[in-house]
Amino acid sequence: MAHHLFAVLVRATATVTTIDAHLAKPMRLAARTHPIDGYRLGGQLTGAWDPAYDPAADPNNWHPCQACGGTTLVHGTQCRECADAVEAGRRPGTVVPWSYTDWARYPGDIVALPRLLHPGWRFPPGRTPVAWVDVAGVAWLDTNAAILTRTDTGAVPPRLLAVFRDLVTGHRDPDPAAPPARRRHTPADWSAPWRHPRRPRVRFEPADWSVAVVDAHS
């Protein structure tokens, strides 16, 4: 099974609790162009854009040991399943699930879009997304080869820079189904009356959006 990092545009109101609803529509569109068996926030890529994060060190991932019921003892002797807990910095009698499917969702996998738009932004090497996804469509970023050969530097790919430019200039509409009352447009250009005016551009507010680290597997 292959796991791919998709950067998915979601509303800034998205949280780890509500993220599934925010991902449903853009990922449904992504599935039309790429065979995806499933996806989830973070997944095997949990903490991908936060190198300081370690799922094993997150108390939210410390579960009571099933072998000893969290008592640290089995038939009066030290439980082998959780014997490393204290040495690893965990509470006694706890273990970390081996499967990412049992890891807690990490809020750091939902990143404010303005952070990515900052000129100094770089992805951690090897953690550059392979695709950008929003309701306007999927932009494949041509990063697969560099990631597979471990030559990815984390620099923002040219195709993603183009997506960012189209978003902030209003040439890419990430929410075409928004009610008219919520849509803001720049005026149409009537400078050449013998021509049809250019279509009004959507006024895009980066602070209204975040980007989710999505593990899409196929």
Side-chain angles (χ1 to χ4, degrees), residues 112-201:
L113 178 61
R115 285 186 59 193
L116 274 67
L117 295 179
H118 190 279
W121 171 264
R122 292 292 184 273
F123 298 101
R127 298 302 196 182
T128 302
V130 301
W132 170 272
V133 184
D134 59 32
V135 179
V138 180
W140 297 99
L141 305 178
D142 265 351
T143 55
N144 257 328
I147 292 170
L148 290 174
T149 58
R150 299 186 178 181
T151 57
D152 174 48
T153 65
V156 181
R159 290 189 179 183
L160 185 52
L161 288 174
V163 168
F164 289 165
R165 182 174 60 250
D166 287 346
L167 283 171
V168 299
T169 59
H171 290 93
R172 184 182 181 95
D173 186 354
D175 196 7
R182 289 177 50 193
R183 302 183 67 77
R184 294 168 292 185
H185 297 83
T186 56
D189 182 3
W190 292 92
S191 59
W194 59 89
R195 300 176 183 171
H196 293 293
R198 289 197 298 268
R199 184 179 180 181
R201 292 175 295 179

Side-chain angles (χ1 to χ4, degrees), residues 86-136:
V86 175
E87 183 180 353
R90 300 195 308 273
R91 292 188 299 271
T94 60
V95 295
V96 176
W98 65 269
S99 174
Y100 69 90
T101 58
D102 293 320
W103 291 347
R105 293 178 174 182
Y106 177 48
D109 286 334
I110 304 174
V111 180
L113 178 61
R115 285 186 59 193
L116 274 67
L117 295 179
H118 190 279
W121 171 264
R122 292 292 184 273
F123 298 101
R127 298 302 196 182
T128 302
V130 301
W132 170 272
V133 184
D134 59 32
V135 179

Side-chain angles (χ1 to χ4, degrees), residues 29 31-32 39-40 56 59 61 65-66 76 83 89 93 122 129 156 173 180 189 213 215:
L29 296 177
R32 294 177 182 173
Y39 66 88
R40 61 183 287 144
N61 289 326
C65 176
Q66 293 186 350
R122 292 292 184 273
V156 181
D173 186 354
D189 182 3
V213 174
D215 174 5

